[in-house]
Amino acid sequence: SQTIHQWPATLVQPVGSPLSLECTVEGTSNPNLYWYRQAAGRGLQLLFYSIGIDQISSEVPQNLSASRPQDRQFILSSKKLLLSDSGFYLCAWTATHSNQPQHFGDGTRLSIL
Amino acid sequence: AQTVTQSQPEMSVQEAETVTLSCTYDTSESDYYLFWYKQPPSRQMILVIRQEAYKQQNATENRFSVNFQKAAKSFSLKISDSQLGDAAMYFCAYRIMGDSGAGSYQLTFGKGTKLSVIP
């Protein structure tokens, strides 16, 4: 069966520091991958999606970036974090050409000090 | 652009009673999917139920059922025999039906309804 892993589960970082959140999927190949952010009391906002290695689409302009160096690995990064980057980050996947719903990881709670 | 609206930021229900969460959406598409996701305090996003727009029959999953009104663009979730474990944020989500790359699988979420279950 397919599983999705996200880490770390929680992270506290100072303003201006770099960021790297990692997401991996097991049990499938060539998945579509997504990064969402959920600010406190808000719904989910799609940040990036990817249909393949090194193929990244950005939904909102920000100081975050995403990379997909391997088929089942999706990384969310920042060179310099802002206070507004605080939130709950969720990775999700779907199978290619699938009518199945997205499956989410357990999320990363990011706090910026 | 598609939008999803959940007009009830918070709701509460007595244990064993029934509660209905509202969701409306706006789209110009005729074929799409609708979902309800549950996010408990652990923050994991869990799929509760899904509905294909071309199906007239309302989806059901055990104690969870939907009232899908396509013409009214309404997609409410009914939870029967509410249990303490049902306490969570509930998100309504929309996705177009199609196969034009990962972008077509994007989910558009409402802002959520916080459900409390009273013992």
Side-chain angles (χ1 to χ4, degrees):
Chain A
S1 62
Q2 300 88 2
T3 56
I4 179 169
H5 302 281
Q6 249 187 276
W7 67 92
T10 59
L11 189 60
V12 181
Q13 292 284 94
V15 169
S17 63
L19 172 73
S20 180
L21 303 181
E22 190 161 343
C23 171
T24 60
V25 181
E26 296 178 357
T28 188
S29 58
N30 197 32
N32 296 326
L33 297 170
Y34 307 82
W35 276 112
Y36 290 88
R37 176 169 60 201
Q38 184 180 26
R42 305 285 296 275
L44 274 71
Q45 179 186 38
L46 179 65
L47 301 175
F48 301 95
Y49 66 87
S50 171
I51 61 172
I53 295 174
D54 294 330
Q55 300 181 69
I56 310 294
S57 296
S58 174
E59 286 298 296
V60 292
Q62 59 218 319
N63 70 320
L64 299 171
S65 62
S67 61
R68 186 170 176 175
Q70 300 181 47
D71 180 43
R72 290 169 291 174
Q73 182 185 32
F74 204 26
I75 298 171
L76 183 68
S77 305
S78 175
K79 292 181 180 179
K80 283 187 176 183
L81 286 167
L82 306 173
L83 283 174
S84 57
D85 291 324
S86 292
F88 191 65
Y89 289 82
L90 283 158
C91 182
W93 76 276
T94 55
T96 305
H97 308 304
S98 168
N99 65 351
Q100 294 303 306
Q102 292 182 15
H103 301 280
F104 289 83
D106 289 343
T108 297
R109 181 178 297 280
L110 176 63
S111 300
I112 310 299
L113 303 179
Chain B
Q2 296 85 12
T3 58
V4 177
T5 302
Q6 293 178 249
S7 59
Q8 306 151 315
E10 295 189 31
M11 290 195 72
S12 61
V13 61
Q14 205 78 29
E15 194 175 5
E17 296 295 310
T18 295
V19 64
T20 298
L21 308 183
S22 301
C23 173
T24 58
Y25 57 95
D26 187 24
T27 182
S28 58
E29 302 288 334
S30 58
D31 294 323
Y32 48 87
Y33 298 101
L34 295 164
F35 306 90
W36 278 99
Y37 281 88
K38 168 185 177 182
Q39 189 179 41
S42 65
R43 305 304 296 270
Q44 186 180 15
M45 194 70 73
I46 303 166
L47 177 67
V48 174
I49 199 166
R50 60 178 285 182
Q51 174 82 42
E52 290 87 346
Y54 63 85
K55 290 186 177 178
Q56 293 185 340
Q57 186 174 8
N58 289 324
T60 62
E61 283 290 338
N62 301 314
R63 297 183 294 108
F64 298 88
S65 61
V66 298
N67 183 5
F68 174 48
Q69 302 290 328
K70 190 173 184 179
K73 294 181 181 175
S74 171
F75 183 59
S76 60
L77 174 69
K78 186 172 81 171
I79 306 174
S80 304
D81 185 25
S82 297
Q83 300 174 0
L84 295 177
D86 295 332
M89 283 289 289
Y90 285 82
F91 291 95
C92 179
Y94 162 98
R95 200 202 90 185
I96 64 171
M97 185 182 295
D99 185 13
S100 57
S104 64
Y105 304 137
Q106 294 174 38
L107 289 173
T108 301
F109 285 87
K111 291 188 176 181
T113 297
K114 183 178 181 180
L115 178 66
S116 301
V117 180
I118 303 166

